Amino acid sequence: MSKDHSSNIREVAALAGVSIATVSRALQQPDKVRPETRKKVFDAVRQANFVPNAQAASFRRQSNNTVILLVRDIGNPFYLEIYKGVEEAAGEAGFKVLMGDARNDEHRVATHIDMVRQKHADGLILMTGQFPSELLDQGDALPPIVIASETVPGLELPTVKVDNRAASMNAVRHLMEAGHERIVHLAGPVPESLAQERFDGYRAALAEAGIAYADELVVTGDYSIEAGRQAIAGLLEGGIVFTAIFASSDQMAIGAISELRGRGLSVPGDVSVIGFDDIIFANAFEPPLTTVRQPRQEMGRRAMALMVDRLNGKRTAETIVLDTELVVRGSVAPCRPPHR
Amino acid sequence: MSKDHSSNIREVAALAGVSIATVSRALQQPDKVRPETRKKVFDAVRQANFVPNAQAASFRRQSNNTVILLVRDIGNPFYLEIYKGVEEAAGEAGFKVLMGDARNDEHRVATHIDMVRQKHADGLILMTGQFPSELLDQGDALPPIVIASETVPGLELPTVKVDNRAASMNAVRHLMEAGHERIVHLAGPVPESLAQERFDGYRAALAEAGIAYADELVVTGDYSIEAGRQAIAGLLEGGIVFTAIFASSDQMAIGAISELRGRGLSVPGDVSVIGFDDIIFANAFEPPLTTVRQPRQEMGRRAMALMVDRLNGKRTAETIVLDTELVVRGSVAPCRPPHR
DNA sequence: TTGAAAGCGCTAACAA
DNA sequence: TTGTTAGCGCTTTCAA
């Protein structure tokens, strides 16, 4: 019968009649020990019910092959597939992934950066544009950080993103081609870069088509369903007239549609809507949401790859830009005379 | 200027002119050192740019105040709010939370249990009914595990769940009160307990109302949108007649509705639908989904509380049962003559 | 191919 | 209140 209290490498060594160094080697680099020795060790491991203490190993190695994926808001399903991509690449490289929630709070970003400083993890994949300004000038003193999807002005770090400006222009053009001119933009938390880039794309598309930009048509939010709801409620109550919406997240688009419906307006009958992200619910929604697809899984994979590079000592601040795709489904219709 | 390579407690001690024990104490239990000494230490910490190595501390303490939240499928937003509850309670108790994805694969459950054995984390909050059978008989030799939402037959562990059977009966009754008799059940992966309990509730409600149970009306799935879609596609193509659906997850309900619509059927016009979970999208959906609300955040909080108890040496296998609530929204209508 | 031994940075028991 | 000191379990260098 095997003992049940957890044993250590010394017991195994004693049992196998070898030194602890040999046990360690047999486990880490089996080809470095003679087959017979290896067998003795393995038998002893089994007999002692030995499970190596990863904490001790990490401590000794001064690294634990774990990275933190810190997202803006874990409530947004957008990040789920990112996580999958990160985890996949991490697994291949022998890393574990810890997912953290910044809750739209830059203080929590600082907390997680501290976790890396304290060696809880080897690096941080950052997926929020909020960054504690007091850390901005630390430059080289920052622990390994890779940014995904967003960017932080003033921080030169390895980054994976999409061309938000171009993607937005494309989406807005699609709306204009359907005859829409009074297009609301549900923006992210401008002036953060990500939100700003999409906003810029919206303006650029308008300008290109010779449509005047109107401040009253732009509302910012935190990408949540609730933000989408509230934005539309405010617009409608303010008597603002519009026939289409370009939202910078599917969640805001869905919140907007829900609110429109609650007030008796139909989508796309009265108002056409385009979202951003192509989360899993976009396609199951009614109407199926026309949206900008981001290659989320790949974004996650590439971010993790950049992290591995960084942890291997590479110190470039490479930026990878991935393609987006406008997925046309059922939430956009030709423009009809505006409501009211 | 402060140095940028990370310093250790010895340097700080030297700088402050005290022993390393005093530095440790000043940082961990400030009230145990004289204010003046404390100040000297803090100054030295700042000057040396000292960040305690949490890994070393964890190693020394043989615990790292981290728990893993292992969920069946991280793609299901159901788990997001659970995570929030867990994280909240964890924060209060000084714990960190690591979220892992079992991907409906019991092998990955084993992997994560190993992570705890290897001291990557102190405990595991398990949110899947899949469990490697070879670990079942380990009983006391298992690391600290708490189960949430699901149960594993043969495993006596601290558990938080809802009364799935009663909740299902309630939902099905609601459908029958609207006149429905041909009610499809989109079940989870029976015979896992969670799925089984909801299935039992469905049957019990039917029996109570004197409606015959029909095998053809029950389809199992893995709680995903896609599973809901496919189940309905199969039913419709098989010529099965029904007027209502009780799904054991909102995602399956949403997938089902999407498929129904794709085939020209309306909800709730032709088919009424009730889901389970009340994920954030349920309310924004069209029609707003009638569903069984689970107190997710509380479930997370209680699970974490059980974990803290367990880590403090409590060895009971307490089961906490939380209340559910049928949230009536717009996806159920009085029964009309069945389609076809 | 194997063993001896140093030591990662910290905590905590014990002594002063 | 503070200091001394013995490790936690492992990896890794160096020597044999």
Side-chain angles (χ1 to χ4, degrees), chain A residues 79-135:
Chain A
Y79 297 107
L80 296 179
E81 278 205 32
I82 301 265
Y83 172 89
K84 289 190 178 179
V86 170
E87 229 233 359
E88 193 182 294
E92 287 163 15
F95 279 79
K96 305 268 186 305
V97 183
L98 197 159
M99 188 155 166
D101 185 5
R103 291 193 210 149
N104 276 305
D105 175 0
E106 66 175 46
H107 178 70
R108 286 182 56 93
V109 173
T111 305
H112 284 84
I113 289 178
D114 273 342
M115 286 180 68
V116 179
R117 284 230 174 82
Q118 294 163 13
K119 304 282 156 62
H120 267 289
D122 294 339
L124 183 77
I125 298 179
L126 189 67
M127 298 200 71
T128 171
Q130 298 175 296
F131 198 85
S133 51
E134 68 272 22
L135 295 182

Side-chain angles (χ1 to χ4, degrees), chain A residues 41-158:
Chain A
V41 171
F42 287 170
D43 288 346
V45 163
R46 208 165 0 247
Q47 198 188 331
N49 212 341
F50 174 61
V51 180
N53 183 325
Q55 206 167 221
S58 297
F59 169 54
R60 170 62 226 239
R61 288 202 187 99
Q62 296 292 13
S63 97
N64 51 18
N65 281 17
T66 300
V67 305
I68 295 174
L69 174 64
L70 183 62
V71 304
R72 171 188 293 276
D73 168 20
I74 205 172
N76 189 339
F78 168 66
Y79 297 107
L80 296 179
E81 278 205 32
I82 301 265
Y83 172 89
K84 289 190 178 179
V86 170
E87 229 233 359
E88 193 182 294
E92 287 163 15
F95 279 79
K96 305 268 186 305
V97 183
L98 197 159
M99 188 155 166
D101 185 5
R103 291 193 210 149
N104 276 305
D105 175 0
E106 66 175 46
H107 178 70
R108 286 182 56 93
V109 173
T111 305
H112 284 84
I113 289 178
D114 273 342
M115 286 180 68
V116 179
R117 284 230 174 82
Q118 294 163 13
K119 304 282 156 62
H120 267 289
D122 294 339
L124 183 77
I125 298 179
L126 189 67
M127 298 200 71
T128 171
Q130 298 175 296
F131 198 85
S133 51
E134 68 272 22
L135 295 182
L136 267 183
D137 50 2
Q138 300 215 350
D140 291 351
L142 283 175
I145 298 178
V146 165
I147 306 186
S149 176
E150 319 235 5
T151 51
V152 178
L155 258 198
E156 299 252 315
L157 293 170

